[in-house]
């Protein structure tokens, strides 16, 4: 954690850092776009998309939203609660899958017939 | 051994600071103005909103037996004699990121009390935001003309249109509100309200440059959400 | 080290503090109607919530009339009945309890108790109330649209909530969903205020670990609300789209009363997950403020410090955190992935641990206390009884295998009324009696209030205790009538009659309360600034009732926690939070509450 | 406390290998059942294929479904001491399959198939209740499970029609029906127009599936067996002329050829109040009183009002609908209890008189399609 913390006058950082991050966001977006252009499929595609997504999100939150210069108190207060969402995501993924499987097993499936 | 680093007097950084901040009186978030604290907590709440939208989208997409429409073709634009997949979305992404950059600099110049530059950066941000909304409107029109409706579409699962219009619509609404506030604040900057600490029309609060940062948080958040929408909706 | 850092921290509070003076209203309208004073907003919230609560009370009596005396009242048919159930449940949970605890008590008590002049954003706070009022009006309007209010059950499960065969699918459900959305928007505005006020606008010396538990309870409940309501908002929006635009988020391919529909592929279970992802935190949203308030009532009226303050705070935090990972215990028999049962049964029983801890602490606080059976104390003790009762039945239901036969029976109805309809309601009454002298400056009539207590306490036991028996007998909930069902014995009907009579008595008993409140407002004795001898800041204000701005010229400085009761050697048997150690006539570093780190005590600095 | 619970839950989640699969299908507001037939496998289904002609939503192209046994009734039998895996499917909204004595319950969710399993350990009749709110008929959504010895169960199952058989059932023959109808015409009139003096209701325009069920009920002593049901008893005696399946089909086919003449009102009441009450009735009988086959609710509009009044009174007093096997009648009995007095009955019938006489009954639609 960097030590040039906040001060009554608010956040002061050299303009170059914003430009750098800006550039990185461009590059990362371009990468994600390339993933689609190259029509990568399967695990590679998902992991790359997620990787670029999290990098971008991290940069925005850390630098543009000044999170990396905030005090630990606020960082944790903001970053901890979304943990609940992770549980929801995990369980809903399982649930969606379960629903899909019962449908596949018992329901007439027009798409499968068409193939 | 914790050495007290230079910085604001009386503030311990890192994890030890975490404890002492929470254990202190008056403020848990040291030197965070009320407005900024409120915005952070609001954004947290908003995160839950968008997460729930995306989780719902994930669930219906995973559950349906119908094929999911071929996203990258659906969002292709016919340009230069070829169908370029997702090109409009890519442009929109670049625009939003750029607006985030200008916003970040507006915050910086705001704290430097550089009225003019701040004003122009805010205006540029607003224009970029507005053009984002415009492109979104164009995209909606295009999809609607191709037969995509909230209740169905020519290629497969009806949830495609439903989730698309709902999520991008909700995000677009956020952008629109952001643009409105950008214009209001830009105008306040221009008029010098923030320099003269003039009380707000409705709230009676004194104007301060901190409000630019608060607004900036909101704007970056809108950009952040787009990152997730881009990944999950358009690329997935 | 901690000491040094603290000393260097500047004395002045947040910069915005001075601006609190800016918005003193000039007109009558600004003072009483569009007031930005949290205390006035609190009263507005409370009165609105109680008014709509009385509507829900009347609805519950209508339900009971039908259940106790089926085929007697021709104005109750199955659709009216379901509408009554639905609106009763929804109003009670959301529009009464949530609004009253957070909007009412939160607004009144938070700024006073943490020593702030007002909420941090008074203007937004005012908007919050008016939006809440709008939500209530939309809700009320839904009774009068063609087809009437929705009858989908307060859980509004699709597809049934929006399909023919359910009352109120035309206007009723749409207005219900809209009203919820509006409520959430309004609540968010208020909620941000409460949270930021607690975090950022406390007075000098008021550390988090010195806050009264009331504030802790309301604060945590608000945080839960800010994080849980989004799920409801999102699901309401999606259901609105399903209903109005024909999207298929929650709607699978299905038939409807013989007609085919155009829906396809949606997932009804998704609604249930989202609803309960909101719904379970919601039940703690109405429980945590009650926990907090009851802790203060118990400590004040037993003249004893609260047992294990620190533990209480951590328990509140733990309950808050865990409440987000137990939601599907409402869905054991919903047809979800059955393996979830293992996970949720485990988490559900874990969440009972901190709750049980709180119960033990209340009891231990009472233990050998100098108990004064004042009216608020009666209600607090009543709460402990009913809550233990309801909590234990919750454990039955949490254990997935036991839940299977009991789910959707009156056992569940008994559980949640015990734990939600009786316990927090008792606390609300206790709290109103407790703070009434501060809010109005007058004392209520004690005899009437005691009557009110015994009628409500014993009466509600008479209503809900038998419901558990009905549940074991297999009586399903949300049934308009039972017809002749072989496995239910005849006594079921007798029990229902008894419950209905008890419910009518309790409902009428509430008239005592309203009469008492109204009469005492004009005729009650002057109460004085601190009739109960309480330590918290709201009792130390310059004026009673407190004026706009709460405190006098100077904000109080806090030197101690909120529970210095029964202090040996003190002038009175208690020491208010803002009394400096020198004035308390006892040494400041006594061993009463060593868990409070003196290193953070600004008093230490002021006096050396 | 937790651990034993989880072990039992493990048993609940994991179905024994040898469990017999049965499908329980819920809809507003009754139950039907399906057995997998000889191949032991269910055919796939689709809610979009549901119709009056295909009430189970069977996929006609799935060979596994041809031998599925379809039990279009609230009453089902199960063998004692054999584990049963119930697959649960809903055609419309959420329901919940509960037999209190089995100690298990599970929701039926449209758009997926849930399950539960149990082993009935004693013979007898057990009530099935729906315990998930499913609309205004929720409390009347009853069924019955009859647990019998294995051989009794087997012979019962063998009598039930398979999907194949149902598809291939020939249509009724009106010519043959005409002969059979000769007996009926003395009371119901040559054109099925009904005769109040003989206490015989109008038949012309009534729904075929409904007449079929009532004839079976009369035949099996489910209707017209109550000692106070004088006219029902007469009818039950007459039905002895229609013993075979085919005879019933034919006579109904003949009745379907009658012109649906409007009827005269004989009852007056407060239509406004009747309309209020009908807010409940319409959910099943249709807002125009046209009858809805899927809900098993017969047509009311355009039928004779004096007959409706009498039947409502009978339902209220339990003269009709109280036979343990008359599950639909039982449902109506519970619903009729909202008619608190005689005046209410008249009011609601007076309102029914104002409904379009042969507006959109199924028969009328069928005829207009044919033209
Ligand atoms: C204020 C509201 C409130 C509170 C606090 C609770 C508290 C609890 N609830 Fe309840 N519940 C509701 C409101 C509430 N509930 C509502 C509204 C519903 C129904 C909604 C609907 O379907 O309409 C419901 C339904 C409900 C169900 C679903 C039932 C079903 O539909 O089938 C379950 C299942 O797990 C459950 C469990 C619990 C548990 C384990 C607790 C625990 O937190 C309880 C903890 C308390 C104690 C344990 C008692 C005190 C402790 C002691 C005396 C010490 C001794 C005990 C031990 C050491 C263990 N509740
Ligand atoms: C806080 C919540 C709350 C409260 C207070 C109540 C109070 C009452 N409820 Fe409750 N009830 C619910 C929440 C609540 N209920 C919910 C969520 C459901 C489920 C709905 C559904 O299934 O969809 C339900 C369902 C429900 C049913 C089941 C219906 C069915 O399944 O068919 C029954 C049946 O008897 C019933 C009866 C009563 C009675 C007789 C009262 C009371 O009359 C008890 C006696 C009165 C009091 C204890 C005084 C309360 C005072 C006020 C409310 C006035 C406000 C004033 C102040 C606070 C100052 N309720
Ligand atoms: Cu079906 Cu309730
Ligand atoms: Cu719960």
């Amino acid at each position: 954690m960097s030590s040039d913390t906040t001060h009554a006058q608010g956040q002061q950082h050299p303009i170059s850092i914003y430009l750098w991050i800006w550039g990185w966001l461009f590059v990362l977006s371009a990468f994600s776009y390339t993933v689609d252009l190259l029509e990568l499929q399967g695990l590679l595609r998902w992991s790359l998309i997620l990787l670029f997504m999290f990098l971008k999100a991290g940069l925005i939150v850390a630098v543009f939203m000044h999170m990396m210069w905030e005090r630990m108190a606020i960082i944790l207060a903001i970053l901890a609660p979304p943990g609940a969402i992770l549980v929801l995501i995990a369980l809903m993924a399982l649930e969606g899958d379960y629903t899909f499987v019962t449908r596949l097993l018992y329901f007439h499936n027009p798409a499968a017939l068409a193939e | 051994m914790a050495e007290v680093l230079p910085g604001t007097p009386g503030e311990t950084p890192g994890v030890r600071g975490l404890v002492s901040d929470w254990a202190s009186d008056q403020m848990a978030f040291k030197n965070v103005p009320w407005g900024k604290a409120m915005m952070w907590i609001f954004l947290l709440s908003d995160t839950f909103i968008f997460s729930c939208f995306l989780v719902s989208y994930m669930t219906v997409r995973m559950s349906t037996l119908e094929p999911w429409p071929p996203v990258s073709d659906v969002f292709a634009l016919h340009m230069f004699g070829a169908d370029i997949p997702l090109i409009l979305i890519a442009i929109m992404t670049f625009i939003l990121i750029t607006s985030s950059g200008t916003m970040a600099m507006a915050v910086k110049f705001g704290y430097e009390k550089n009225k003019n530059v701040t004003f122009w950066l805010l205006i540029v941000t607003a224009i970029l935001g507005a053009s984002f909304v415009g492109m979104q409107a164009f995209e909606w029109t295009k999809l609607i003309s191709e037969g995509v409706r909230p209740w169905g579409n020519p290629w497969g699962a009806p949830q495609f249109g439903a989730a698309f219009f709902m999520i991008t619509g909700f995000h677009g609404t956020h952008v629109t509100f952001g643009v409105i506030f950008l214009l209001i604040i830009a105008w306040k900057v221009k008029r010098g309200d923030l320099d003269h600490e003039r009380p707000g029309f409705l709230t009676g609060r004194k104007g301060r440059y901190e409000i630019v940062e608060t607004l900036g948080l909101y704007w970056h958040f809108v950009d952040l959400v787009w990152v997730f929408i881009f990944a999950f909706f358009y690329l997935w | 080290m901690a000491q040094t850092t603290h000393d260097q921290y500047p004395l002045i509070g947040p910069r915005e503090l001075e601006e609190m003076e800016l918005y003193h209203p000039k007109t009558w309208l600004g003072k009483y109607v569009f007031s930005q004073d949290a205390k006035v907003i609190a009263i507005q919230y409370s009165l609105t919530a109680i008014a709509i609560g009385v509507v829900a009370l009347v609805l519950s009596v209508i339900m009971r009339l039908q259940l106790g005396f089926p085929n007697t009242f021709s104005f109750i048919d199955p659709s009216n009945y379901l509408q009554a159930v639905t609106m009763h449940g929804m109003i009670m949970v959301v529009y009464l309890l949530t609004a009253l605890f957070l909007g009412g008590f939160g607004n009144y008590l938070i700024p006073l108790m943490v020593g702030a002049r007002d909420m941090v954003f008074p203007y937004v706070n005012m908007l919050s109330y008016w939006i809440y009022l709008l939500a209530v009006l939309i809700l009320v309007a839904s009774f009068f649209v063609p087809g009437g209010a929705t009858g989908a059950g307060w859980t509004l499960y699709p597809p049934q909530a929006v399909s023919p065969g359910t009352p109120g699918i035309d206007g009723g459900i749409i207005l219900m969903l809209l009203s919820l959305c509006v409520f959430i928007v309004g609540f968010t505005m208020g909620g941000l205020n409460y949270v930021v006020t607690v975090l950022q606008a406390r007075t000098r010396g008021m550390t988090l670990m010195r806050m009264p538990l009331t504030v802790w309870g309301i604060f945590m409940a608000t945080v839960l609300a800010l994080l849980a309501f989004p799920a409801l908002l999102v699901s309401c929006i999606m259901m609105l789209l399903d209903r109005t635009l024909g999207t298929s988020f929650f709607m699978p391919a299905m038939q409807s009363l013989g007609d085919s529909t155009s829906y396809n592929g949606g997932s009804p279970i998704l609604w249930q997950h989202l609803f309960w992802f909101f719904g379970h935190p919601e039940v703690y949203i109405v429980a945590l403020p009650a926990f907090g308030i009851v802790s203060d009532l118990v400590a004040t009226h037993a003249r004893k410090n609260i047992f294990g303050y620190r533990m209480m705070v951590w328990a509140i935090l733990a309950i808050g955190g865990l409440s987000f990972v137990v939601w599907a215990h409402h869905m054991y028999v919903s047809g979800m992935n059955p393996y979830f049962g293992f996970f949720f049964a485990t988490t559900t029983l874990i969440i009972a641990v901190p709750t049980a801890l709180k119960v033990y602490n209340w009891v231990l606080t009472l233990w050998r206390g100098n108990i004064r059976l004042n009216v608020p104390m009666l209600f607090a003790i009543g709460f402990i009884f009913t809550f233990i009762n309801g909590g234990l039945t919750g454990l039955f239901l949490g254990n997935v295998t036991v839940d299977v036969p009991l789910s959707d029976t009156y056992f569940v109805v008994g559980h949640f009324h015990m734990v939600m309809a009786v316990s927090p309601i008792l606390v609300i009454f206790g709290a109103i009696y407790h703070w009434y002298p501060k809010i109005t400056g007058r004392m209520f009539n004690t005899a009437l209030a005691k009557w009110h207590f015994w009628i409500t306490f014993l009466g509600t036991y008479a209503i809900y205790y038998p419901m558990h028996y009905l549940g074991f007998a297999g009586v399903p909930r949300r049934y308009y009538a039972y017809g002749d069902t072989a496995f239910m014995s005849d006594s079921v009907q007798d029990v229902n009659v008894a419950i209905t009579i008890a419910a009518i008595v309790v409902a009428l008993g509430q008239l005592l309360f309203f009469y008492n409140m109204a009469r005492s407002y004009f005729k009650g004795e002057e109460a004085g600034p601190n009739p109960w001898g309480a330590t918290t800041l709201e009792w130390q204000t310059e004026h009673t009732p407190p004026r706009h701005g709460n405190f006098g010229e100077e904000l109080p400085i806090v030197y101690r926690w909120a529970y210095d009761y029964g202090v040996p050697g003190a002038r009175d048997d208690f020491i208010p939070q803002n009394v400096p150690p020198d004035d308390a006539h006892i040494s400041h570093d006594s061993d009463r509450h060593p868990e409070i780190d003196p290193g953070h005590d600004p008093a230490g600095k002021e006096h050396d | 406390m937790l651990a034993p619970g989880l072990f039992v839950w493990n048993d609940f989640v994991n179905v024994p290998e040898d469990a017999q699969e049965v499908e329980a299908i819920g809809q507003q507001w009754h139950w039907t059942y399906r057995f997998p037939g000889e191949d032991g496998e269910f055919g796939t289904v689709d809610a979009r294929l549901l119709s009056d002609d295909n009430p189970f939503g069977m996929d006609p192209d799935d060979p596994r479904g041809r031998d599925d046994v379809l039990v279009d009734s609230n009453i089902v039998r199960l063998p004692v001491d054999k584990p049963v895996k119930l697959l649960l499917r809903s055609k419309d909204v959420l329901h919940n399959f509960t037999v209190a004595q089995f100690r298990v319950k599970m929701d039926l969710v449209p758009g997926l198939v849930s399950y539960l399993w149990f082993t009935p350990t004693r013979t007898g009749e057990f009530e099935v209740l729906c315990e998930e709110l499913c609309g205004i008929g929720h409390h009347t959504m009853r069924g019955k499970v009859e647990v019998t010895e294995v051989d009794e169960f087997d012979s019962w199952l063998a009598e039930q029609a398979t999907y194949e058989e149902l598809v291939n059932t020939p249509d009724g023959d009106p010519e043959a029906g005409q002969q059979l109808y000769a007996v009926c015409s003395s009371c119901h009139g040559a054109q099925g127009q009904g005769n109040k003096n003989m206490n015989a209701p109008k038949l012309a325009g009534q729904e075929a599936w409904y007449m079929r069920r009532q004839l079976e009920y009369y035949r099996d002593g489910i209707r017209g067996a109550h000692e106070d049901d004088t006219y029902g008893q007469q009818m039950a005696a007459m039905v002895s002329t229609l013993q075979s399946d085919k005879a019933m089909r034919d006579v109904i086919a003949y009745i379907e050829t009658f012109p649906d003449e409007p009827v005269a009102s004989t009852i007056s009441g407060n239509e406004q109040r009747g309309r209020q009450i009908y807010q409940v009735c319409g959910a099943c009988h249709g807002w125009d009183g046209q009858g809805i086959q899927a809900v098993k609710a017969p047509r009311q509009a355009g039928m004779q009002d004096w007959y409706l009044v009498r039947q409502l009174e009978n339902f209220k007093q339990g003269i009709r609908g109280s036979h343990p096997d008359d599950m639909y009648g039982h449902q109506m009995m519970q619903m009729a209890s909202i008619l608190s007095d005689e005046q209410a009955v008249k009011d609601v019938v007076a309102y029914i008189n104002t409904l379009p006489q042969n507006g959109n009954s199924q028969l009328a639609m069928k005829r207009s399609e044919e033209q």
Side-chain angles (χ1 to χ4, degrees), chain C residues 364-445:
Chain C
L364 286 169
T365 306
L366 288 174
W367 180 257
R368 309 190 63 184
N370 171 12
I371 297 180
R372 300 181 181 168
L373 283 182
N374 297 325
V375 175
M377 186 59 157
L378 287 176
F379 279 98
I381 295 176
F383 162 86
I384 297 179
F385 276 103
T386 55
F387 186 75
I388 290 181
N389 195 315
L392 290 178
T393 52
L395 292 183
F396 284 50
L397 298 173
N399 210 326
V400 50
T401 2
V402 188
D403 179 70
V404 171
L406 292 177
S407 186
D408 287 315
T409 66
Y410 264 78
F411 190 87
V412 177
V413 178
H415 157 68
F416 69 73
H417 278 93
M418 229 43 209
V419 88
M420 181 166 76
V422 185
S423 312
I425 290 274
L426 288 180
V427 174
I428 285 183
F429 286 131
I432 291 178
Y433 286 120
H434 184 76
W435 278 289
Y436 188 78
K438 181 85 304 183
I439 298 171
T440 63
R442 291 174 192 270
M443 199 43 123
F444 51 84
N445 178 325

Side-chain angles (χ1 to χ4, degrees), chain A residues 71-74 76-77, chain B residues 12-23 28:
Chain A
R71 298 182 55 72
M72 208 48 140
I74 197 162
L76 275 186
Chain B
T12 337
V15 179
R16 276 178 32 80
L18 172 77
V19 178
S20 71
D21 281 5
W22 281 107

Side-chain angles (χ1 to χ4, degrees), chain A residues 98-99 102-103 105-108 110, chain D residues 44-46 59 87 111-113 115:
Chain A
Y98 175 73
T99 308
T102 72
R103 287 180 181 181
L105 272 177
Y106 300 108
F107 289 163
H108 162 76
Chain D
T44 52
V45 289
D46 190 333
D59 174 2
L87 296 169
L112 62 81
V113 174
Y115 70 90

Side-chain angles (χ1 to χ4, degrees), chain C residues 61 96 150 491 516:
Chain C
V61 173
L96 170 69
T150 177
S491 63
N516 194 355

Side-chain angles (χ1 to χ4, degrees), chain C residues 93 154-155 157 276 280 282-284 286-287 291 326 329-333 348-349 351-353 355-357 359-360 387-399 403 406-408 412 415-417 419-421 424 477-478, chain D residues 1:
Chain C
V93 179
W154 85 284
T155 46
Y157 282 177
W276 289 116
H280 189 83
E282 166 67 22
V283 310
Y284 281 100
V286 306
F291 292 173
V326 298
H329 66 208
H330 296 270
M331 299 171 58
Y332 290 144
V333 295
T348 301
L349 294 201
I351 202 174
V353 175
T355 318
L357 219 137
V359 173
Y360 291 133
F387 186 75
I388 290 181
N389 195 315
L392 290 178
T393 52
L395 292 183
F396 284 50
L397 298 173
N399 210 326
D403 179 70
L406 292 177
S407 186
D408 287 315
V412 177
H415 157 68
F416 69 73
H417 278 93
V419 88
M420 181 166 76
R477 64 190 282 206
R478 292 168 170 174
Chain D
M1 191 165 55

Side-chain angles (χ1 to χ4, degrees), chain C residues 101-322:
Chain C
F101 269 128
L102 305 181
F105 287 102
N107 260 319
Y108 203 92
L109 295 176
I110 290 178
L112 275 166
M113 285 186 147
V114 304
R117 295 228 175 265
D118 204 330
M119 287 291 179
V120 288
F121 305 107
Y123 184 79
V124 180
N125 205 18
M126 174 195 77
L127 282 186
S128 157
Y129 168 70
W130 291 100
I131 296 178
Y132 164 65
L133 184 66
L134 178 67
V136 171
L137 292 179
I138 296 177
L139 184 83
V140 172
S142 82
F143 283 105
F144 301 103
V145 294
T150 177
W154 85 284
T155 46
L156 303 179
Y157 282 177
Q160 168 257 127
V162 290
S163 315
T166 305
I169 58 155
D170 299 321
I173 184 72
I174 297 181
L175 289 184
M176 175 88 253
L177 295 170
L178 270 181
S179 170
L180 283 171
C181 292
V182 173
F183 178 91
I184 294 168
V185 171
F187 176 79
T188 307
M189 297 182 151
L192 291 172
N193 251 309
Y194 317 150
V195 172
V196 179
T197 306
V198 170
L199 288 178
Q200 298 295 82
R202 280 164 286 139
T203 187
R204 201 75 189 100
M206 180 59 88
T207 63
L208 287 174
M209 279 300 181
R210 282 177 178 179
M211 290 197 307
L213 286 168
T214 300
V215 178
W216 263 112
I218 297 177
F219 168 70
M220 198 61 213
T222 312
V223 173
L224 290 188
L226 286 176
L227 303 184
F229 274 125
L232 182 65
L233 179 74
V234 167
S235 28
C236 284
I237 290 175
M238 291 195 291
M239 201 195 292
L240 266 179
L241 293 177
D242 279 0
R243 173 66 188 79
T244 54
L245 288 184
T247 56
S248 303
F249 289 109
F250 303 126
M251 310 293 277
M254 58 181 256
Q255 220 187 9
S256 183
L257 292 177
D259 296 327
S260 51
T261 63
S262 58
Y263 296 116
N264 184 17
S267 167
I269 298 260
L270 171 62
W271 166 277
Q272 302 188 22
H273 279 292
L274 289 176
F275 183 88
W276 289 116
F277 187 77
F278 145 78
H280 189 83
E282 166 67 22
V283 310
Y284 281 100
I285 291 167
V286 306
L288 286 177
F291 292 173
I293 291 174
V294 102
S295 312
D296 283 358
L297 296 190
V298 165
T300 309
H301 296 276
R303 316 307 301 162
K304 223 179 137 214
N305 62 21
I306 190 82
F307 187 90
Y309 174 82
R310 244 168 210 231
M311 239 195 284
M312 292 298 244
V313 171
W314 284 112
I316 287 181
L317 290 170
I319 293 174
L322 285 170

